[in-house]
Short mmCIF file of all heavy atoms in Angstrom, two decimals:
data_model
loop_
_atom_site.label_atom_id
_atom_site.label_comp_id
_atom_site.label_asym_id
_atom_site.label_seq_id
_atom_site.Cartn_x
_atom_site.Cartn_y
_atom_site.Cartn_z
N THR A 1 102.41 147.40 153.12
CA THR A 1 101.68 148.59 152.62
C THR A 1 101.82 148.67 151.09
O THR A 1 101.26 149.33 150.39
CB THR A 1 102.46 149.89 153.10
OG1 THR A 1 103.82 149.96 152.72
CG2 THR A 1 102.29 149.97 154.53
N GLY A 2 102.82 147.61 150.45
CA GLY A 2 103.02 147.66 149.01
C GLY A 2 103.92 148.77 148.56
O GLY A 2 104.07 149.03 147.37
N PHE A 3 104.66 149.40 149.51
CA PHE A 3 105.50 150.50 149.15
C PHE A 3 106.84 150.52 149.87
O PHE A 3 106.84 150.29 151.04
CB PHE A 3 104.91 151.88 149.27
CG PHE A 3 105.73 153.06 148.90
CD1 PHE A 3 106.15 153.26 147.61
CD2 PHE A 3 106.16 153.89 149.87
CE1 PHE A 3 106.99 154.30 147.26
CE2 PHE A 3 107.09 154.92 149.59
CZ PHE A 3 107.41 155.16 148.25
N VAL A 4 108.02 150.66 149.20
CA VAL A 4 109.31 150.83 149.95
C VAL A 4 109.96 152.01 149.48
O VAL A 4 110.08 152.41 148.28
CB VAL A 4 110.17 149.64 149.69
CG1 VAL A 4 111.49 149.71 150.32
CG2 VAL A 4 109.53 148.31 149.95
N ARG A 5 110.35 152.89 150.40
CA ARG A 5 111.07 154.07 150.07
C ARG A 5 112.46 153.85 149.55
O ARG A 5 113.14 152.97 149.92
CB ARG A 5 111.12 155.05 151.37
CG ARG A 5 109.82 155.43 151.89
CD ARG A 5 109.98 156.17 153.20
NE ARG A 5 110.60 155.36 154.15
CZ ARG A 5 110.93 155.89 155.29
NH1 ARG A 5 110.81 157.13 155.65
NH2 ARG A 5 111.52 155.02 156.22
N ALA A 6 112.88 154.83 148.64
CA ALA A 6 114.19 154.63 148.01
C ALA A 6 115.35 154.78 149.18
O ALA A 6 116.33 154.16 149.06
CB ALA A 6 114.44 155.88 146.96
N ARG A 7 115.03 155.51 150.22
CA ARG A 7 116.01 155.60 151.26
C ARG A 7 116.26 154.29 151.93
O ARG A 7 117.48 153.98 152.42
CB ARG A 7 115.41 156.55 152.34
CG ARG A 7 116.47 157.07 153.37
CD ARG A 7 115.96 158.08 154.27
NE ARG A 7 114.85 157.72 155.08
CZ ARG A 7 114.24 158.48 155.98
NH1 ARG A 7 114.64 159.84 156.10
NH2 ARG A 7 113.29 158.09 156.63
N SER A 8 115.34 153.42 152.05
CA SER A 8 115.54 152.05 152.61
C SER A 8 116.47 151.23 151.67
O SER A 8 117.36 150.45 152.23
CB SER A 8 114.20 151.38 152.85
OG SER A 8 113.34 152.07 153.76
N VAL A 9 116.24 151.25 150.50
CA VAL A 9 117.09 150.46 149.43
C VAL A 9 118.42 151.11 149.55
O VAL A 9 119.44 150.29 149.56
CB VAL A 9 116.49 150.56 148.04
CG1 VAL A 9 117.43 149.80 147.19
CG2 VAL A 9 115.12 149.90 148.07
N MET A 10 118.55 152.49 149.69
CA MET A 10 119.90 153.06 149.76
C MET A 10 120.59 152.52 150.96
O MET A 10 121.88 152.46 150.98
CB MET A 10 119.79 154.54 149.76
CG MET A 10 121.08 155.36 149.69
SD MET A 10 122.19 154.80 148.36
CE MET A 10 121.41 155.67 147.06
N HIS A 11 119.93 152.37 151.99
CA HIS A 11 120.54 151.82 153.31
C HIS A 11 121.12 150.51 153.03
O HIS A 11 122.28 150.21 153.50
CB HIS A 11 119.46 151.84 154.45
CG HIS A 11 120.04 151.65 155.76
ND1 HIS A 11 119.25 151.35 156.89
CD2 HIS A 11 121.32 151.58 156.23
CE1 HIS A 11 120.00 151.22 157.98
NE2 HIS A 11 121.30 151.43 157.62
N LEU A 12 120.41 149.60 152.32
CA LEU A 12 120.99 148.33 152.01
C LEU A 12 122.11 148.55 151.11
O LEU A 12 123.13 147.71 151.24
CB LEU A 12 119.87 147.50 151.32
CG LEU A 12 120.22 146.10 150.90
CD1 LEU A 12 120.65 145.15 151.99
CD2 LEU A 12 119.06 145.54 150.11
N ARG A 13 122.02 149.36 150.02
CA ARG A 13 123.26 149.55 149.05
C ARG A 13 124.50 150.03 149.76
O ARG A 13 125.50 149.70 149.40
CB ARG A 13 122.73 150.54 148.08
CG ARG A 13 121.49 150.11 147.23
CD ARG A 13 121.00 151.08 146.27
NE ARG A 13 121.92 151.21 145.09
CZ ARG A 13 121.68 152.19 144.07
NH1 ARG A 13 120.58 152.92 144.29
NH2 ARG A 13 122.33 152.31 143.03
N GLU A 14 124.26 150.87 150.82
CA GLU A 14 125.42 151.38 151.55
C GLU A 14 126.09 150.28 152.32
O GLU A 14 127.37 150.15 152.34
CB GLU A 14 125.00 152.52 152.48
CG GLU A 14 124.62 153.73 151.79
CD GLU A 14 123.82 154.67 152.79
OE1 GLU A 14 123.46 154.40 153.93
OE2 GLU A 14 123.70 155.95 152.46
N GLN A 15 125.24 149.34 152.91
CA GLN A 15 125.86 148.10 153.58
C GLN A 15 126.56 147.24 152.60
O GLN A 15 127.67 146.59 152.87
CB GLN A 15 124.71 147.49 154.37
CG GLN A 15 124.23 148.18 155.43
CD GLN A 15 125.21 148.37 156.57
OE1 GLN A 15 125.91 147.56 157.08
NE2 GLN A 15 125.40 149.62 156.89
N LEU A 16 126.01 147.06 151.29
CA LEU A 16 126.63 146.15 150.40
C LEU A 16 127.87 146.86 149.89
O LEU A 16 128.87 146.10 149.65
CB LEU A 16 125.64 146.05 149.15
CG LEU A 16 124.33 145.34 149.34
CD1 LEU A 16 123.54 145.08 148.14
CD2 LEU A 16 124.60 143.92 150.00
N THR A 17 128.03 148.06 149.79
CA THR A 17 129.19 148.80 149.49
C THR A 17 130.40 148.48 150.55
O THR A 17 131.44 148.32 150.25
CB THR A 17 129.04 150.29 149.30
OG1 THR A 17 128.13 150.39 148.18
CG2 THR A 17 130.41 151.07 148.84
N ASP A 18 129.91 148.56 151.82
CA ASP A 18 130.81 148.39 152.87
C ASP A 18 131.35 146.85 152.93
O ASP A 18 132.53 146.73 153.19
CB ASP A 18 130.19 148.77 154.13
CG ASP A 18 129.89 150.28 154.39
OD1 ASP A 18 130.53 150.94 153.76
OD2 ASP A 18 129.09 150.65 155.19
N LYS A 19 130.49 145.98 152.76
CA LYS A 19 130.84 144.60 152.83
C LYS A 19 131.45 144.01 151.47
O LYS A 19 132.20 143.03 151.64
CB LYS A 19 129.55 143.75 153.21
CG LYS A 19 128.81 144.21 154.41
CD LYS A 19 129.62 144.11 155.70
CE LYS A 19 128.74 144.30 156.91
NZ LYS A 19 128.09 145.65 156.94
N GLY A 20 131.09 144.55 150.36
CA GLY A 20 131.57 144.09 149.18
C GLY A 20 132.83 144.65 148.76
O GLY A 20 133.63 145.36 149.35
N GLN A 21 133.36 144.15 147.52
CA GLN A 21 134.62 144.60 146.92
C GLN A 21 134.49 145.78 146.05
O GLN A 21 135.42 146.28 145.49
CB GLN A 21 135.32 143.34 146.23
CG GLN A 21 135.50 142.22 147.04
CD GLN A 21 136.35 142.35 148.20
OE1 GLN A 21 137.32 142.94 148.18
NE2 GLN A 21 136.02 141.80 149.40
N CYS A 22 133.26 146.17 145.91
CA CYS A 22 132.96 147.21 144.86
C CYS A 22 132.37 148.49 145.65
O CYS A 22 131.57 148.35 146.47
CB CYS A 22 131.89 146.66 143.85
SG CYS A 22 131.55 147.85 142.66
N SER A 23 132.81 149.62 145.18
CA SER A 23 132.54 150.87 145.92
C SER A 23 131.34 151.59 145.16
O SER A 23 131.03 152.69 145.57
CB SER A 23 133.71 151.79 145.97
OG SER A 23 134.24 152.10 144.63
N SER A 24 130.81 151.04 144.09
CA SER A 24 129.76 151.78 143.40
C SER A 24 128.29 151.23 143.37
O SER A 24 127.50 151.42 142.59
CB SER A 24 130.16 151.75 141.82
OG SER A 24 130.41 150.47 141.34
N PHE A 25 128.11 150.43 144.47
CA PHE A 25 126.67 149.94 144.69
C PHE A 25 125.61 150.96 144.95
O PHE A 25 124.54 150.81 144.83
CB PHE A 25 126.75 148.89 145.78
CG PHE A 25 126.77 147.45 145.39
CD1 PHE A 25 127.92 146.64 145.29
CD2 PHE A 25 125.68 146.74 144.80
CE1 PHE A 25 128.00 145.38 144.82
CE2 PHE A 25 125.75 145.45 144.29
CZ PHE A 25 126.92 144.85 144.27
#
């Protein structure tokens, strides 16, 4: 569709925060 909602990216960022060493993703 050419569009991605911010909520989807935030879902990824939450996972990166859980898996990474940094809490501010």
Side-chain angles (χ1 to χ4, degrees):
T1 67
F3 178 70
V4 179
R5 296 175 298 176
R7 189 170 67 179
S8 298
V9 178
M10 181 59 75
H11 193 189
L12 177 63
R13 296 171 79 183
E14 289 167 351
Q15 291 296 309
L16 296 181
T17 299
D18 291 341
K19 304 296 189 300
Q21 306 297 318
C22 182
S23 61
S24 57
F25 262 99

